[in-house]
Amino acid sequence: MPEKYHIKTQPVPPVSPRIGKYGMVDWREDCARCHNCVKKACVYDRYRQEADYIRNLSDVNALFFDCMGCFSCVQDCTKGLLCMSINPEYQKMGNSYWTPDIIKTTWLQAETAKIPVSGAGYRGPFSGKGFDSMWTDMSEIVRPTRDGIHGREYISSSVDIGRKLPYLAFNCNKTGANASPLVSLPMPMIIDMTSPAHTLPQLNPIIAQTAVNTDIIAIIDSRQWQGSDKQLRNIAFYIADGEDIPKDALKKTRLVEIPDGAKVIERIKEIKKIQPGIVIAIRVELTSAGVERAIKLAESKEVEVIHIVADANGNEIGASKPRFIKDMTRQIHTALIEKGCRDEITLMAGGGIALPEHMAKEIICGADLITINLPLLISLECHLCNSCKPGMVCPAKLEKIDINYGVGRMTNLIAAWHDQLIEVMGAMGMREVRRLRGDVGRAMFFENLEEETFGKLFGSRKNN
Amino acid sequence: MASFSVPEKTIKDILPENTLKTIVPQEEVTRAVKTAPSRYRNEIAKFIVHRNLNCKRCGKCAEVCQYGVHVLKPGYKYFAEPKNHLCIGPSCEKTGNFCVAKCPNGALQLKENPLFKALGDYRWPGDLILATWKMAETGDVPPAEYGYEYNCGNSGGGFDRLRFKFPDKPPVKIDADKIDTSISLNKRGDGRPEIKIDVPWYGGGMSFGSVSNVTQLSKARAAKAWNTFTCTGEGGYMERMRPYDDHVITQVATGLFGVREETIQRVPIVEFKYAQGAKPGLGGHLLGDKNTPAVAKMREAVVGISLFSPFPFHSVYSIEDHQKHLDWIKHINRRALISTKVSTPTDVDMVAVGSYSAGTHIVHIDGGYGGTGAAPDIAKKNIAMPIEYAIGRVHKFLADEGVRDKVTLIASGGIRSAHDVAKAIALGADGVVIGTVELVALGCVRCSRCESGRGCPRGIATTDPELAAKMNIEWGTQRIINLYNAWRKVLVGILQRFGMKSVTELRGRTDLLMHLDYTNDVGAKK
Ligand code: SF4
Ligand code: SF4
Ligand code: SF4
Ligand code: SF4
């Protein structure tokens, strides 16, 4: 068996106080001072931890909120003095897309590198917008096309980035003599640049080292690069329009990204002249023209990789009724199939990928791989409070972050995502993530299921 | 299709004696409802009545309140803490007996309990949990004044958006005691026992390991009382379960934990678990912490090691392989019915027909949103379709193949209320399997911590002896018996309103349903 892709992880505890969903409010005044106070019986020992926490308190405003919500103490207190409440700090985190629950699970994975497991079934809404309007398939007793996997260790998550040959041509007894370069990644993920709102220069070294540790690639603006040459194998420079090409450093990288623009083909040629063996990705912002532009670009023989990027919430940029990244990806993917060039182009997609299932679902919708940034930021205990501006206080103290902590947390998160990708692929009976791309047969979409099931019985859906 | 099923009319002649009858004497459990109050001192209340220092202890509030919230015990100087959980809340204002208004000293205040916001989730809102607790306590639905929504949850889709179109008045009047809620589990006519259960549901598989033996036994005893079934799950067959053998389904799952020839011979139904809705395609997990010495012994495993049941059955890659497995079990236990439990992939209909042709008696489809055991969060909401979509699909496909009346279709994965049961049946199932609701009846608050450390802090889904001791078997049994009673009442009420004598008449009656998000004018659409 060839060596397996394995990310080394170790637990990295949080540096800030945990922000739990529930907390206890204690109306002490009537307390009977019971010998056997229910607080001693908390299975999770929360009250003792709270006492310790308060004793060592450095931040006066912080409250201890880490109750697991079992209601046992509330219901057993002799005087009924305890009241559980939802932590307002918790509810305040993130936004409607990056919900507190997403932030919390990201923190947990960044701490433990483990797949989050819980009991008592699913607790959420029936379906939702975006990625929540699809389900991945699984394979049961029979599945003619199933890979017949015998274990997760046989599932490959690697992808190739670059332009692929439509067919093999034999030339002077050499196969693929004119094949374009390819970059192989052990997992379908690239770390994208952080959005301008969250760009903190001290994060770049952490991101670069995380890319090295996980052997994926991080896109970093060439103007901000200060890392070591050894890391360059796992770095892709983003070279803005009009910027000088960092010739020497570029030779040590495998992938580079440039913005889309009128002269993008010339820019490709320019870079290829310096470094013919490099793969070039074009960053296409998914504005209202983005989908058409991506399709158009794919027709050009010079284009190898298209990196489509929606906004942070996965929406079409600047639209009042935005399309969602998964739908835009499907559109592009399908159009490329119709044009007969889908397999030649690599499609990377980013924006709104918040959870590992989004990675799998986005690939099913047609991306070869995904790009993320916010989840990595969140892994550093960021609350997405958008205070990362000079003069504002970052609750995660990202300005003073320790590199080992940062790399550890990000690496853990990526490892946990990788494991979860393997889990869903195992369920689908898929042995290769390459084959998952665009395989909508491995997914079920809300609209289709509704129409097939309830549409037939009950007419048209009202809110369509 | 029919050629697949082997006629077994003569099995009695060729059977080894011990596979025909139960060996251990069976214990009786009565179905009678008895009050089984909460095992916690403070019940969770939706509203709080606060009495301030203006109270002159005149006793007016105790006199007017119809619900016994205010108690001034004889000989006591002060009022006891108001029994908030009994208070019906602001709707009391209209009754004319509103303590807050009647108090001459303005000493009372009524508020929503902030605690209530922390209870429940989309699928199981606080109302549904409290109402289920009430049913488990009293054997009846909570009085209407409390205004609990206990027919559905708040998930915004599926069952929660389906409603029955009840006629203004029943087409025929049928007495409640004339209504038959039983369903038959063997429709194959293959000479194996014609097992009937008195209510169209049975308890789902929860292994010893995932829940305590008190929980397992309570479920088994309630199944006995109601002439239905419970399931051992994958994790062995406790000896203490044997007095209820006749109401136990034992599971054969991919890990084969605790499966022995002898355990298979004990029961009237054997279930093949291919997948489960909570983690479709992922097999089973029991985290190391819960693998205590007792669990390890039963599963013939090493203490403290995480136990995984692989996915899939590595000996089953075709319907023929599946049939081979069924034949094996049918041979070992000549009286057993076979249930095949599968999850809900796109081709769930094909899987169902395949299982039928392999010889199963029960096709059990388990949708993604239920489950009680530990499951990766990623699996819970993302893999396989919700049961609401699967039922109709399978029902129709079986009908189109002409075998619908030869197999029992059981649905599970998010059945939380009697209305869910009725909706599942109206969509095309014969009956359902329930899981979470039984745990809620036992006092589960759905904190979803069942998986780790010592397990459930409320002593339900745990093997920690100290935690498990929080509950006793008599109480647990009674709670589930009471719940069943309340559910059956609701179900009978539904059938009465439709003028149906038997729950079997409801099957597949999608014409009696409507969906709140649809125009419900399907005739017009065509
Ligand atoms: S509710 Fe449960 S977890 Fe929270 S403090 Fe009380 S006993 Fe501990
Ligand atoms: S009616 Fe008012 S004053 Fe009288 S006992 Fe009740 S709370 Fe006190
Ligand atoms: S509001 Fe009504 S039910 Fe509640 S305590 Fe007052 S009188 Fe009783
Ligand atoms: S741990 Fe929580 S969710 Fe699980 S059974 Fe116990 S009370 Fe219910």
Side-chain angles (χ1 to χ4, degrees):
Chain A
M1 206 197 275
E3 202 185 317
K4 290 292 151 201
Y5 176 54
H6 176 73
I7 303 175
K8 277 212 192 80
T9 61
Q10 64 182 63
V12 184
V15 288
S16 309
R18 287 174 207 272
I19 299 189
K21 185 162 182 179
Y22 304 107
M24 277 299 148
V25 181
D26 186 350
W27 311 107
R28 276 164 222 229
E29 53 182 55
D30 229 1
C31 173
R33 308 255 179 276
C34 312
H35 226 43
N36 254 334
C37 175
V38 286
K39 294 180 180 178
K40 292 186 198 152
C42 171
V43 171
Y44 308 102
D45 207 17
R46 285 305 183 245
Y47 287 96
R48 203 182 316 268
Q49 291 167 12
E50 182 187 15
D52 291 347
Y53 173 73
I54 292 171
R55 208 169 299 125
N56 306 322
L57 203 62
S58 51
D59 186 347
V60 206
N61 291 319
L63 282 173
F64 185 88
F65 270 99
D66 202 18
C67 151
M68 302 303 226
C70 78
F71 285 87
S72 301
C73 58
V74 176
Q75 286 199 266
D76 264 344
C77 168
T78 318
K79 294 283 221 158
L81 301 179
L82 302 174
C83 179
M84 185 154 51
S85 70
I86 297 193
N87 184 358
E89 278 300 307
Y90 181 83
Q91 280 177 308
K92 245 175 37 198
M93 294 197 298
N95 54 43
S96 63
Y97 188 85
W98 299 83
T99 58
D101 289 348
I102 292 183
I103 294 178
K104 190 172 164 214
T105 180
T106 306
W107 287 352
L108 190 78
Q109 293 170 57
E111 175 177 353
T112 62
K114 288 198 176 131
I115 299 177
V117 172
S118 61
Y122 176 55
R123 303 161 63 88
F126 185 82
S127 69
K129 288 193 200 147
F131 289 117
D132 287 341
S133 66
M134 65 187 280
W135 293 269
T136 63
D137 200 12
M138 49 87 62
S139 89
E140 203 78 63
I141 307 173
V142 260
R143 171 59 59 82
T145 54
R146 66 179 288 156
D147 290 336
I149 42 165
H150 288 269
R152 290 172 179 78
E153 64 277 16
Y154 286 94
I155 299 176
S156 156
S157 59
S158 63
V159 285
D160 300 315
I161 308 171
R163 194 172 179 87
K164 284 153 212 147
L165 294 176
Y167 46 83
L168 283 180
F170 293 89
N171 181 11
C172 310
N173 298 329
K174 281 191 281 177
T175 35
N178 47 5
S180 324
L182 286 180
V183 176
S184 254
L185 284 191
M187 124 174 227
M189 176 194 280
I190 278 191
I191 306 177
D192 199 3
M193 298 178 285
T194 37
S195 68
H198 302 104
T199 299
L200 301 162
Q202 68 273 23
L203 293 183
N204 278 342
I206 296 176
I207 289 175
Q209 192 52 41
T210 303
V212 172
N213 286 8
T214 53
D215 199 21
I216 60 174
I217 282 181
I219 303 174
I220 289 184
D221 194 315
S222 61
R223 289 165 290 194
Q224 291 167 4
W225 176 248
Q226 289 177 337
S228 79
D229 278 8
K230 271 197 297 212
Q231 293 174 320
L232 285 173
R233 205 185 105 81
N234 297 93
I235 300 299
F237 288 128
Y238 172 81
I239 308 178
D241 273 341
E243 277 303 314
D244 290 341
I245 297 168
K247 292 190 181 122
D248 293 336
L250 194 72
K251 294 217 161 95
K252 301 196 172 78
T253 65
R254 300 177 285 168
L255 180 73
V256 65
E257 180 162 288
I258 53 173
D260 183 26
K263 297 198 176 137
V264 69
I265 303 294
E266 282 100 273
R267 189 76 161 166
I268 294 178
K269 288 180 180 154
E270 193 186 341
I271 295 174
K272 283 278 180 182
K273 222 191 221 152
I274 298 167
Q275 166 64 328
I278 202 160
V279 177
I280 304 175
I282 304 175
R283 189 180 187 92
V284 177
E285 306 278 334
L286 287 175
T287 57
S288 59
V291 170
E292 284 64 39
R293 177 62 186 165
I295 297 169
K296 187 95 190 73
L297 275 174
E299 287 172 1
S300 165
K301 290 274 168 274
E302 276 77 21
V303 175
E304 300 169 321
V305 182
I306 299 172
H307 181 192
I308 49 171
V309 191
D311 74 10
N313 298 349
N315 288 327
E316 188 175 6
I317 298 166
S320 58
K321 274 195 178 162
R323 290 173 284 180
F324 190 69
I325 178 88
K326 84 174 204 301
D327 304 308
M328 293 187 280
T329 310
R330 278 184 86 178
Q331 255 179 303
I332 298 170
H333 173 75
T334 320
L336 298 193
I337 290 177
E338 277 159 16
K339 287 182 189 294
C341 63
R342 178 64 190 92
D343 281 334
E344 285 147 56
I345 292 285
T346 305
L347 196 58
M348 321 200 298
I353 313 282
L355 291 165
E357 57 259 41
H358 298 172
M359 167 164 61
K361 288 176 175 178
E362 179 59 17
I363 292 173
I364 288 176
C365 288
D368 291 277
L369 67 160
I370 55 102
T371 64
I372 57 165
N373 51 43
L374 282 191
L376 294 174
L377 191 68
I378 298 172
S379 75
L380 308 177
E381 295 173 69
C382 158
H383 297 202
L384 283 192
C385 62
N386 287 329
S387 310
C388 3
K389 299 175 191 82
M392 302 198 45
V393 182
C394 167
K397 305 196 181 66
L398 288 189
E399 65 283 352
K400 291 197 242 155
I401 199 161
D402 171 63
I403 180 147
N404 292 326
Y405 159 87
V407 174
R409 299 272 295 191
M410 287 189 184
T411 305
N412 284 352
L413 182 71
I414 293 173
W417 277 39
H418 178 258
D419 286 350
Q420 288 169 87
L421 176 66
I422 300 293
E423 288 287 324
V424 280
M425 285 179 52
M428 284 185 268
M430 296 289 281
R431 194 149 45 178
E432 274 189 70
V433 79
R434 293 187 188 97
R435 297 217 343 237
L436 191 61
R437 185 203 72 198
D439 192 350
V440 288
R442 297 297 161 112
M444 297 171 262
F445 293 90
F446 175 75
E447 312 79 55
N448 303 350
L449 285 175
E450 281 284 312
E451 177 53 33
E452 286 161 23
T453 315
F454 298 137
K456 280 196 193 122
L457 298 174
F458 307 121
S460 328
R461 225 183 131 78
K462 279 192 225 158
N463 45 8
N464 281 350
Chain B
M1 271 302 152
S3 65
F4 280 99
S5 59
V6 188
E8 294 191 31
K9 300 278 185 219
T10 55
I11 52 166
K12 289 197 179 64
D13 308 330
I14 54 169
L15 280 183
E17 187 62 15
N18 67 352
T19 70
L20 265 184
K21 62 175 197 301
T22 320
I23 303 149
V24 171
Q26 297 291 287
E27 204 167 289
E28 285 308 315
V29 185
T30 133
R31 176 180 300 196
V33 167
K34 276 180 252 153
T35 314
S38 161
R39 56 195 161 95
Y40 287 92
R41 178 191 295 267
N42 311 312
E43 293 200 40
I44 295 179
K46 211 170 159 177
F47 305 102
I48 300 183
V49 196
H50 182 71
R51 176 182 286 105
N52 65 26
L53 295 173
N54 294 340
C55 170
K56 301 274 183 314
R57 300 188 285 282
C58 68
K60 186 76 185 166
C61 51
E63 182 194 316
V64 292
C65 177
Q66 303 296 300
Y67 300 93
V69 176
H70 305 282
V71 186
L72 183 58
K73 288 193 199 140
Y76 278 74
K77 218 166 129 200
Y78 292 101
F79 272 86
E81 269 300 305
K83 293 189 173 173
N84 289 319
H85 66 282
L86 298 176
C87 171
I88 65 169
S91 67
C92 188
E93 227 165 318
K94 287 185 241 108
T95 63
N97 291 316
F98 187 40
C99 60
V100 177
K102 292 282 159 108
C103 169
N105 301 303
L108 295 172
Q109 251 185 322
L110 180 71
K111 296 187 294 203
E112 253 182 60
N113 189 351
L115 181 74
F116 190 69
K117 288 207 177 70
L119 182 71
D121 50 66
Y122 289 99
R123 293 203 59 80
W124 276 88
D127 264 15
L128 187 54
I129 295 180
L130 291 189
T132 305
W133 286 348
K134 270 275 167 284
M135 294 186 222
E137 176 176 344
T138 64
D140 205 344
V141 296
E145 306 89 278
Y146 285 88
Y148 292 134
E149 173 53 88
Y150 53 80
N151 293 333
C152 52
N154 199 13
S155 75
F159 291 136
D160 291 347
R161 301 299 285 167
L162 289 172
R163 295 289 183 275
F164 280 110
K165 293 189 285 193
F166 289 114
D168 294 338
K169 65 183 214 315
V172 277
K173 201 172 164 298
I174 306 169
D175 289 340
D177 56 358
K178 296 271 155 33
I179 289 182
D180 180 9
T181 54
S182 71
I183 59 166
S184 132
L185 298 181
N186 182 5
K187 299 177 190 282
R188 287 192 87 92
D190 59 357
R192 291 192 176 236
E194 308 277 334
I195 298 177
K196 267 193 160 209
I197 50 178
D198 288 356
V199 281
W201 62 78
Y202 55 84
M206 288 175 215
S207 60
F208 174 60
S210 70
V211 295
S212 72
N213 55 19
V214 177
T215 303
Q216 265 201 334
L217 285 168
S218 301
K219 280 167 44 113
R221 288 164 51 87
K224 167 83 193 179
W226 274 96
N227 184 33
T228 181
F229 282 86
T230 189
C231 174
T232 58
E234 181 193 25
Y237 201 129
M238 276 194 295
E239 286 302 308
R240 286 174 69 189
M241 198 101 135
R242 304 218 48 194
Y244 317 104
D245 277 350
D246 285 352
H247 297 274
V248 173
I249 299 173
T250 197
Q251 206 174 58
V252 179
T254 56
L256 297 179
F257 290 119
V259 174
R260 282 176 284 137
E261 230 174 71
E262 184 257 329
T263 58
I264 292 199
Q265 286 170 346
R266 287 178 193 173
V267 291
I269 303 180
V270 178
E271 174 174 288
F272 266 95
K273 186 182 87 182
Y274 280 90
Q276 55 185 322
K279 40 193 167 191
L282 300 185
H285 299 207
L286 185 78
L287 298 185
D289 290 337
K290 278 181 127 188
N291 185 6
T292 60
V295 174
K297 180 156 179 256
M298 186 113 63
R299 297 194 178 201
E300 296 168 34
V302 179
V303 179
I305 287 196
S306 292
L307 298 180
F308 293 92
S309 299
F311 175 83
F313 262 116
H314 290 326
S315 45
V316 180
Y317 282 96
S318 68
I319 286 299
E320 291 69 31
D321 292 344
H322 174 48
Q323 179 166 8
K324 189 181 67 194
H325 276 63
L326 301 199
D327 288 347
W328 158 51
I329 296 292
K330 283 182 173 176
H331 200 80
I332 293 174
N333 180 343
R334 289 303 186 112
R335 69 191 166 108
L337 305 187
I338 308 286
S339 164
T340 303
K341 176 175 177 180
V342 294
S343 183
T344 50
T346 348
D347 56 357
V348 57
D349 39 9
M350 295 276 288
V351 171
V353 168
S355 295
Y356 165 76
S357 63
T360 199
H361 298 89
I362 299 168
V363 171
H364 172 183
I365 50 175
D366 191 22
Y369 286 170
T372 51
D377 289 344
I378 190 170
K380 287 182 177 181
K381 82 165 199 261
N382 297 303
I383 309 180
M385 67 173 91
I387 193 66
E388 290 92 329
Y389 296 135
I391 297 172
R393 224 169 248 258
V394 173
H395 171 67
K396 181 164 184 303
F397 201 64
L398 289 170
D400 291 349
E401 294 291 310
V403 300
R404 182 64 190 90
D405 288 320
K406 296 252 167 243
V407 66
T408 305
L409 177 61
I410 296 290
S412 67
I415 307 285
R416 301 149 298 173
S417 68
H419 269 251
D420 284 354
V421 177
K423 288 170 192 169
I425 294 173
L427 286 172
D430 289 291
V432 302
V433 160
I434 55 176
T436 302
V437 67
E438 291 182 322
L439 301 188
V440 173
L442 298 178
C444 162
V445 278
R446 292 188 50 71
C447 61
S448 58
R449 306 288 156 191
C450 351
E451 83 297 350
S452 59
R454 296 167 66 195
C456 170
R458 296 172 73 93
I460 303 160
T462 181
T463 46
D464 181 294
E466 193 189 319
L467 293 175
K470 290 185 175 212
M471 192 166 72
N472 71 51
I473 294 171
E474 282 66 40
W475 181 86
T477 309
Q478 195 61 51
R479 293 280 285 193
I480 300 177
I481 289 176
N482 290 354
L483 173 80
Y484 283 13
N485 194 69
W487 271 30
R488 187 172 183 280
K489 262 192 182 173
V490 177
L491 182 61
V492 165
I494 293 172
L495 297 174
Q496 266 180 319
R497 289 177 73 178
F498 284 126
M500 292 176 178
K501 277 210 190 74
S502 157
V503 70
T504 55
E505 291 171 48
L506 186 61
R507 191 186 79 189
R509 291 295 302 274
T510 50
D511 58 309
L512 303 178
L513 288 169
M514 61 166 294
H515 194 300
L516 296 179
D517 297 332
Y518 283 79
T519 48
N520 298 299
D521 55 352
V522 78
K525 192 187 174 191
K526 276 183 194 148

